[in-house]
Amino acid sequence: HTKHCKDYIPARNDFWEASISVTNLHYAAFARCPDEYLNNAHRGLLVVDECHELEPTLLSLHHVKVLRKDALVLKIDFNQKDVPQLFTDYVNAVGRGAEADARLAALMPGDIIQRERVKSTARKLAGLGQRDAENPWHIDRDSDRNVISCRPLFARKMAGRILGMADRVLFMSGTPGNADRFFRNLGIEPGADTAVVEI
C-alpha cells in the first residue's frame, strides 16, 4: 500500500493514464480512479479473459463476515434469532460517509484493527447498495455462532462496475458454459448489441 510501497502511486497513475492497461479483477472491482484521470478511465474496449470465473470471483470478493465482537461494540443483539435482521441492523449501524466514520471512531477508539475491519465491511456494503428482491443474499450463522456469513447470490450488482468501464466488453473463455445463463447472471440482457461466437 502507499505507506509501504513507494512504487504504488506511480504504478496506479500509469494504469489509469495509459490507453491500454492490464489488471486483475480485484483491482477492477474496487479501485478508485483519481480525479485527474477520470476522463481517460472509460475505455473503448474491455477484454475479460477466463470469463467463466468472473461471476464466482465477484461473489467471493463481496463475501462479508460480521463478527460477534464487532456487532456488540455497535450495540447490536448478536444472539437474535432473526439472522437476516441482524445483518440489516449491522448495515444500518455501520452506515457510510464522514458521520459514520466519526461514529465508529467514537465506539472503537482504542482498537484500530477492529475499526478498520468494520469500515472495510461498510465500504463493501456501500459499494453494493442495499439488498432487494432481485438481488437476495445468503445469510447464515456459522457453526461456532461467533460469525455471520453474508454473500450475494447473484453478481448482477457487482458486475455493473466492470461492465461500465468500457463501451464494449469482450468475454473470452475456453470453457464458457451456457451463454444465456452467463449473461443472465451478470445482468446482461441478450439483444441486438450482444453476440456469441464459438470456435
Side-chain angles (χ1 to χ4, degrees):
H1 199 268
T2 53
K3 292 178 182 176
H4 310 290
C5 179
K6 65 180 181 180
D7 300 323
Y8 173 77
I9 294 294
R12 180 202 68 183
N13 293 348
D14 285 347
F15 173 85
W16 290 112
E17 193 174 28
S19 58
I20 299 174
S21 302
V22 180
T23 188
N24 59 27
L25 186 58
H26 298 67
Y27 189 83
F30 293 115
R32 188 186 73 80
C33 177
D35 292 342
E36 59 266 37
Y37 302 113
L38 285 177
N39 291 336
N40 199 48
H42 189 79
R43 307 302 170 94
L45 174 67
L46 170 68
V47 179
V48 181
D49 196 18
E50 303 295 346
C51 68
H52 59 279
E53 291 292 332
L54 180 58
E55 185 188 21
T57 303
L58 283 172
L59 292 174
S60 70
L61 289 178
H62 293 87
H63 184 182
V64 175
K65 291 194 172 185
V66 177
L67 305 186
R68 174 189 291 274
K69 59 185 177 181
D70 295 343
L72 294 178
V73 127
L74 294 169
K75 311 271 192 286
I76 297 170
D77 178 11
F78 193 85
N79 295 320
Q80 60 182 289
K81 292 182 180 179
D82 188 343
V83 179
Q85 182 59 48
L86 168 55
F87 178 65
T88 300
D89 292 347
Y90 182 83
V91 171
N92 293 336
V94 295
R96 57 194 292 186
E99 286 184 18
D101 288 349
R103 188 171 62 251
L104 290 176
L107 289 169
M108 299 174 248
D111 195 333
I112 296 172
I113 293 173
Q114 183 182 35
R115 189 166 70 236
E116 288 305 311
R117 180 176 60 244
V118 172
K119 285 172 66 174
S120 172
T121 302
R123 283 192 297 271
K124 279 187 179 182
L125 295 169
L128 290 176
Q130 291 290 342
R131 293 172 293 145
D132 54 47
E134 292 185 0
N135 297 282
W137 286 53
H138 175 76
I139 302 168
D140 193 27
R141 196 186 302 267
D142 285 7
S143 56
D144 64 3
R145 302 190 64 77
N146 287 316
V147 179
I148 299 292
S149 292
C150 322
R151 60 181 175 81
L153 295 180
F154 304 108
R156 297 182 195 114
K157 281 197 172 181
M158 286 137 278
R161 174 183 166 101
I162 304 296
L163 299 176
M165 294 179 81
D167 297 323
R168 296 181 181 210
V169 182
L170 172 62
F171 297 106
M172 302 194 316
S173 174
T175 54
N178 180 280
D180 288 338
R181 185 181 305 117
F182 176 81
F183 284 144
R184 184 180 67 245
N185 291 351
L186 292 178
I188 301 169
E189 291 292 332
D193 57 348
T194 61
V196 179
V197 178
E198 292 184 86
I199 302 173

